[in-house]
Amino acid sequence: MNAPVKAHGANRTQTDELLERRANVFSRGMSAGQPVFAAKAKNSEIWDVEGRRFIDFGGGIAVLNTGHRHPTVMKRVYEQLDKYTHTCLMVTPYEPAVTLAEKLIAMAPISGPKKVMLVTTGAEAVENAIKVARASTGRSDVIVFNGAFHGRTLLTMAMTGKVVPYKSKFGPFPGGVWRVPYPIEHKGISADDTFEAFKWLFKTDVDPKNVAAIVIEPVQGEGGFYIASPEFLKRLRALCDEHGILLIADEIQTGFGRTGKWFAMEHAGVEPDLMTTAKSLAGGFPLAGVIGKAAIMDAPDPGGLGGTYAGNPVACAAALGVIEAFETEGLLEKSLKQGETIIKRLKAIKRRKEGRPIGDIRGLGGMTAFELVTSHGGSEPDPNAAKALAADCLERGLMILTCGVFGETVRLLAPLTIQPRVLKEGLDILEAALVAPK
Ligand code: PMP
């Protein structure tokens, strides 16, 4: 537990002052979830400007599978900083980007010749995957899922399936984006329901011949950590094949080892045509990419893809460090173990039936989550409890993030490099905040 923050100057803390300065200059639209200003971070811990220590189970939204400032990542970054930091990949290319592309191609669960394009953010990767799919198929439309999150640009907003806070006030959105339910068995939405919705969609709204791609998160991230089953993904692949539609896996949150495989689609043994990657790819540096079948990826004309900062060399060096850290420290294996430890612990806490009631508990490898509900044994979502739990944990020195269409889900994304004692300490705090809420 952190000591209370000491006030200084007119009884105000440095955090009070920074919060006020922040509010004066930042758009209201850019809200901050936590009233904590970072001063320093290492692996799974953050220290704030008041000297308080926090265990980080959020990873800056799923970016830190290798933790804050992993030594292998930092070594590569410092080396790169001493050479050059920007030449523009589209103007004067550089070796780290080529090596990274080769590695991404070797890792991606897609057979046959593959190619890559690099950009800077997740939303950009999704946008570019759609550009590539359109260029390759000569078709325009896209099908996505309820509860999906694909980014904050206008096309990716159109593809995102949650109104408040993402979409409200920002329409109209680009057309040609259609939506079907994501299968969530424990909420009464079956795989059959999804395929029934496709049948209706193709009869009532869009000719499948106009559909370039179906985009799916194999585990929904912001939407609530719902896991698409291997059977469902196989049926989806078959539907795509039947209609000549490309299957795009958005692996921005699920990827880079979070689920115990490099990419979550590997669990299902289903090959997408294209996939997006970002977040933990570069361990805290802005980098994203699209990986896909070479013939599809080569459909755009030269100069059709790119961006000034696309594939920044420092970020590429960081990504090479991330891959090295995974390989030398067995982090895929550690992800599976972390998932088991957390799920076991959550189940034990739920069985206590004390304090805040827990609903569904789920996970794929180290991508784990649980729901807060209004009563023990019940299933009515309780978003207020999730919010209160996050605030309570923060006060006790643990950072957690909520998610879910109904805001009732808490996701746990501890670095895969976390020391077992720190993981235990974090879970102890979580348990205390669940069973004895403040
Ligand atoms: N797709 C998925 C699955 C995501 O989780 C996110 C980010 N939460 C994005 C796309 C957008 O990434 P970015 O915020 O880097 O644009």
Side-chain angles (χ1 to χ4, degrees), residues 3-85:
V5 176
K6 268 208 221 86
H8 62 88
N11 286 335
R12 274 150 46 91
T13 64
Q14 201 180 337
T15 302
D16 293 333
E17 279 164 27
L18 282 168
L19 283 170
E20 189 181 308
R21 282 173 57 200
R22 185 189 190 284
N24 285 340
V25 291
F26 273 91
S27 159
R28 273 190 331 131
M30 278 205 94
S31 60
Q34 301 174 339
V36 170
F37 283 82
K40 191 175 150 62
K42 190 171 179 228
N43 197 3
S44 52
E45 292 158 284
I46 296 183
W47 289 265
D48 80 346
V49 292
E50 313 291 347
R52 294 179 294 189
R53 168 186 174 262
F54 298 90
I55 297 172
D56 185 5
F57 277 10
I61 320 188
V63 169
L64 298 166
N65 289 351
T66 48
H68 292 273
R69 295 166 56 241
H70 190 288
T72 309
V73 175
M74 295 311 286
K75 182 171 172 286
R76 298 251 191 173
V77 165
Y78 286 128
E79 282 168 7
Q80 185 57 44
L81 283 173
D82 276 339
K83 292 179 188 158
Y84 53 91
T85 60

Side-chain angles (χ1 to χ4, degrees), residues 23 118 165 219 226 231 268 288 309 338 367 401 408:
L118 295 174
V219 181
Y226 301 122
E231 300 70 45
Y309 292 109
Q338 182 183 110
M367 190 166 181
L401 299 175
E408 82 283 36

Side-chain angles (χ1 to χ4, degrees), residues 61 121-124 126 149-152 217 221-222 250-253 278-279:
I61 320 188
T121 67
E124 247 187 305
V126 175
F149 187 92
H150 296 296
R152 291 170 178 275
E217 295 161 87
E222 305 305 310
D250 182 346
E251 293 251 16
I252 286 166
Q253 193 148 166
K279 291 197 187 271

Side-chain angles (χ1 to χ4, degrees), residues 356-390:
R356 304 182 205 273
I358 296 177
D360 190 56
I361 296 169
R362 54 186 171 270
L364 189 63
M367 190 166 181
T368 55
F370 61 95
E371 292 177 358
L372 287 159
V373 290
T374 51
S375 59
H376 292 288
S379 60
E380 186 62 34
D382 192 345
N384 292 331
K387 233 187 258 166
L389 176 69

